Amino acid sequence: HGSISDDKKDKCLKNGEYEWEGGVLPTIKKLHNRKINGLTIKIYKLCSGVKGMLVKNQKKYRKIVKSGKKITLTHEYKNIKRQNIILDKINQFEKLGFKNIILAGHSAGAWASLNLQSRFPDKIKGTIALNPAFAGWKQEWQDEYPEWGAFRENEINIIKESNNLKAILFSHNNDKFEDPETLSFFKDFNKLQFIDYSEIDPTSCYWPDVNKKMKKNDGHSLDQTKCFEKYIEKNNYFIKFLEDLF
């Protein structure tokens, strides 16, 4: 699921469908109980529900970055905590005998999933990443809040240390957080399929939780819509990706 401000706790509603409330995206939920090459897909929803870094600590790192000095993290931002929670759950599943673990996530959940798979390819067979992001709006991590640009760069360096990232990644031009250009470094991974689905016009789609059309710059949330569901089903992206893995 996605994430709100780092200093606030993410919601985890029991039956939430909307990604900001810890729900499973409809396109992922449809995979439950599907069979792939003799294996049955089971979906497990994990909502971290944690707070991240206090605003005063974010400002501290901002001052360091603006002074031109290198950041040494002594506080954890939310995505680090989320990665640890996901890894703990993976270890629990391994002890129960599960071997073919795939991560799937939207926004901050997608970013955390890609980071984890890059570091633990022996535990995670693959990743479905929908509009990965975690550092806020592009104008924020590129300018207003340079500490988040530094956090993001550190995450990218960690991911780039891997040569075994098996994933399918979706990105849209009208995403305010990340877009195909800012995420282009992922194209260097030979086993990662990068899908630019900018052909879908957000203004032709409706929000999933209200009967209201999206605006042009609402690309980040397109993966929740019926438009995206139809796009995935038409191209059979998820099934093909999983069949190739197994």
Side-chain angles (χ1 to χ4, degrees):
H1 59 85
S3 182
I4 56 176
S5 300
D6 214 67
D7 61 312
K8 294 180 173 59
K9 184 177 180 180
D10 291 331
K11 293 182 180 179
C12 291
L13 297 189
K14 186 176 181 181
N15 294 312
E17 289 291 341
Y18 195 48
E19 99 276 9
W20 300 117
E21 296 171 339
V24 179
L25 293 179
T27 48
I28 299 297
K29 197 171 184 179
K30 280 188 173 183
L31 293 173
H32 190 60
N33 285 330
R34 290 284 299 270
K35 292 189 181 296
I36 300 290
N37 296 333
L39 300 172
T40 302
I41 299 172
K42 294 293 182 182
I43 304 296
Y44 182 88
K45 181 184 77 173
L46 177 62
C47 184
S48 54
V50 293
K51 286 184 179 181
M53 192 182 294
L54 296 175
V55 172
K56 67 176 183 179
N57 291 327
Q58 295 179 46
K59 289 181 177 179
K60 168 189 168 185
Y61 291 112
R62 188 179 311 157
K63 186 176 181 180
I64 294 173
V65 173
K66 285 186 174 182
S67 71
K69 297 178 181 177
K70 186 177 179 180
I71 282 181
T72 301
L73 274 177
T74 55
H75 306 86
E76 291 183 331
Y77 47 82
K78 193 185 295 181
N79 209 265
I80 292 177
K81 294 181 179 180
R82 291 182 64 170
Q83 290 171 32
N84 291 334
I85 290 170
I86 296 169
L87 184 59
D88 286 345
K89 182 57 66 175
I90 289 171
N91 290 334
Q92 290 175 28
F93 276 129
E94 282 188 325
K95 289 178 181 178
L96 292 172
F98 291 93
K99 297 178 181 179
N100 299 315
I101 296 175
I102 302 291
L103 296 182
H106 161 86
S107 190
W111 190 285
S113 298
L114 290 164
N115 180 301
L116 283 168
Q117 206 224 335
S118 74
R119 291 189 289 133
F120 301 99
D122 56 326
K123 294 178 178 288
I124 303 162
K125 301 296 183 183
T127 297
I128 298 174
L130 307 172
N131 301 340
F134 89 98
W137 288 11
K138 286 175 283 189
Q139 68 184 51
E140 293 177 341
W141 57 261
Q142 290 175 337
D143 183 31
E144 295 177 38
Y145 305 122
E147 71 276 18
W148 284 99
F151 299 157
R152 179 182 177 276
E153 189 64 29
N154 181 62
E155 291 266 336
I156 291 173
N157 290 336
I158 291 171
I159 293 171
K160 283 183 174 180
E161 290 178 5
S162 170
N163 59 2
N164 192 28
L165 192 57
K166 298 177 182 177
I168 183 167
L169 185 158
F170 295 82
S171 181
H172 196 284
N173 275 334
N174 296 104
D175 189 327
K176 294 180 287 188
F177 294 81
E178 297 275 358
D179 58 39
E181 182 178 354
T182 64
L183 295 173
S184 62
F185 67 92
F186 279 111
K187 295 179 181 180
D188 293 334
F189 293 91
N190 294 330
K191 296 180 180 179
L192 184 146
Q193 187 178 2
F194 195 108
I195 308 296
D196 180 343
Y197 68 105
S198 302
E199 65 192 77
I200 301 179
D201 181 0
T203 62
S204 67
C205 305
Y206 285 84
W207 287 95
D209 57 336
V210 290
N211 187 27
K212 181 181 177 181
K213 276 197 171 184
M214 290 184 153
K215 295 180 180 179
K216 192 71 176 177
N217 64 349
D218 285 329
H220 190 65
S221 296
L222 263 178
D223 55 4
Q224 313 161 51
T225 66
K226 291 290 184 183
C227 295
F228 188 74
E229 281 188 67
K230 291 177 181 178
Y231 176 78
I232 292 296
E233 290 172 1
K234 177 184 176 181
N235 295 284
N236 205 27
Y237 281 125
F238 292 171
I239 299 301
K240 288 179 181 177
F241 173 68
L242 294 172
E243 285 177 342
D244 288 343
L245 282 179
F246 300 109

